[in-house]
């Protein structure tokens, strides 16, 4: 009987030792592991961007652009244009063609609130599902109330806000149009996003 009792005690200890780690692991799982959401950030209530999205007049100097792009002011040259609501500059250092450096332009574009909302939702869904192609992307602006869409394979960045019947675009052309390396094109995309954020902050009311 003593032997049987001893065996039962040893057996219960072995079972307890086997169960303890499982309970500890369960506790660690509950306290340390948190579900991670890949849902993109949502825009806050919008400020007033009427002067940018609806009534823009080119208000950028070569000095401002040079500071954002971190290049000498001598590498920025304004291009005369008769088109209202648009800026045109020739920028050196990001590739060139027979006509000169990169021709950049930005300004207003007609775009309905419904189309802005549709485009934002579509881009956010693609981002959440990791289905972006050709490097297309969307990100929340630094002001937190607009979206910036990036379409690098055609050299375009847009500012969208579903509260406005208007959008804002930046064009710097496809890489193949210029003698531009992949690294130069990526850098130009990043500088253009920085320019978009700069203008949003400048016109925010």
């Amino acid at each position: 009987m003593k032997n049987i009792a001893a065996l039962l005690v040893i057996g219960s200890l072995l079972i307890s030792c086997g169960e303890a780690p499982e309970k500890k692991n369960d506790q660690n799982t509950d306290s340390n592991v948190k579900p991670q959401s890949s849902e993109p950030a949502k825009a806050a209530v919008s400020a007033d961007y009427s002067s940018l999205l609806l009534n823009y007049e080119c208000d950028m100097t070569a000095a401002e652009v040079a500071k954002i792009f971190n290049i000498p002011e001598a590498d920025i040259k304004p291009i005369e244009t008769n088109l209202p609501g648009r800026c045109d500059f020739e920028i050196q250092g990001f590739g060139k063609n027979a006509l000169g450096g990169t021709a950049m332009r930005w300004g207003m574009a007609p775009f309905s609130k419904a189309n802005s909302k549709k485009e934002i939702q579509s881009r956010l869904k693609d981002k959440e599902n990791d289905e972006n192609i050709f490097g297309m992307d969307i990100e929340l602006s630094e002001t937190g109330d607009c979206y910036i869409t990036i379409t690098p394979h055609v050299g375009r960045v847009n500012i969208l806000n579903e509260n406005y019947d208007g959008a804002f675009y930046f064009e710097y052309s496809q890489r193949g149009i210029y003698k531009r390396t992949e690294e130069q094109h990526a850098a130009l995309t990043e500088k253009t996003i920085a320019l978009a954020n700069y203008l949003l902050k400048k016109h925010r009311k």
Side-chain angles (χ1 to χ4, degrees):
M1 291 294 292
K2 289 181 178 180
N3 292 336
I4 293 173
L7 288 171
L8 289 173
V9 171
I10 293 170
S12 65
L13 288 172
L14 289 171
I15 292 171
S16 297
C17 290
E19 289 177 348
E22 292 180 6
K23 290 180 181 177
K24 188 175 182 181
N25 287 340
D26 289 341
Q27 290 172 355
N28 287 341
T29 300
D30 292 340
S31 61
N32 295 331
V33 179
K34 297 179 182 178
Q36 294 184 355
S37 173
S38 59
E39 184 179 351
K42 295 181 180 179
V45 176
S46 177
D48 183 357
Y49 294 103
S50 299
S51 62
L52 182 71
L53 300 176
L54 300 178
N55 305 303
Y56 184 71
E57 293 183 7
C58 186
D59 59 347
M60 295 290 291
T61 64
E64 280 181 287
V65 179
K67 186 175 181 180
I68 296 166
F69 279 64
N70 195 27
I71 57 177
E73 186 177 343
D75 288 345
I76 307 284
K77 183 176 74 173
I79 300 174
E80 293 294 330
T81 176
N82 294 323
L83 295 174
R86 197 174 98 175
C87 280
D88 287 69
F89 286 89
E90 182 181 313
I91 300 177
Q92 304 294 334
F94 298 91
K96 58 183 180 179
N97 60 18
L99 299 177
T102 295
M104 279 201 68
R105 62 185 63 90
W106 55 87
M108 299 178 299
F111 212 59
S112 70
K113 295 176 184 177
N115 284 337
S116 286
K117 184 175 182 178
K118 182 178 179 181
E119 179 69 9
I120 290 168
Q121 290 178 341
S122 176
R123 292 280 193 127
L124 288 175
K125 183 177 180 181
D126 287 345
K127 186 180 182 76
E128 186 175 0
N129 295 331
D130 197 24
E131 293 179 350
N132 297 324
I133 57 173
F134 301 121
M136 295 169 63
D137 201 0
I138 184 171
E139 60 184 58
L140 195 61
S141 66
E142 291 178 2
T143 57
D145 52 5
C146 294
Y147 284 102
I148 297 174
T149 62
I150 304 107
T151 314
H153 66 288
V154 297
R156 189 177 178 98
V157 167
N158 291 328
I159 297 173
L160 298 179
N161 185 317
E162 61 184 68
N163 297 292
Y164 289 88
D165 283 316
F168 203 86
Y169 72 92
F170 303 82
E171 291 181 344
Y172 50 97
S173 301
Q174 300 175 33
R175 187 162 68 92
I177 294 178
Y178 292 89
K179 292 181 179 178
R180 183 189 297 160
T181 66
E182 187 174 342
E183 290 75 17
Q184 286 176 323
H185 192 74
L188 188 52
T189 299
E190 290 302 315
K191 298 298 184 184
T192 305
I193 295 170
L195 176 59
N197 280 307
Y198 176 87
L199 281 170
L200 281 169
K201 293 173 185 176
K202 186 173 183 176
H203 287 265
R204 193 171 193 256
K205 296 180 179 65

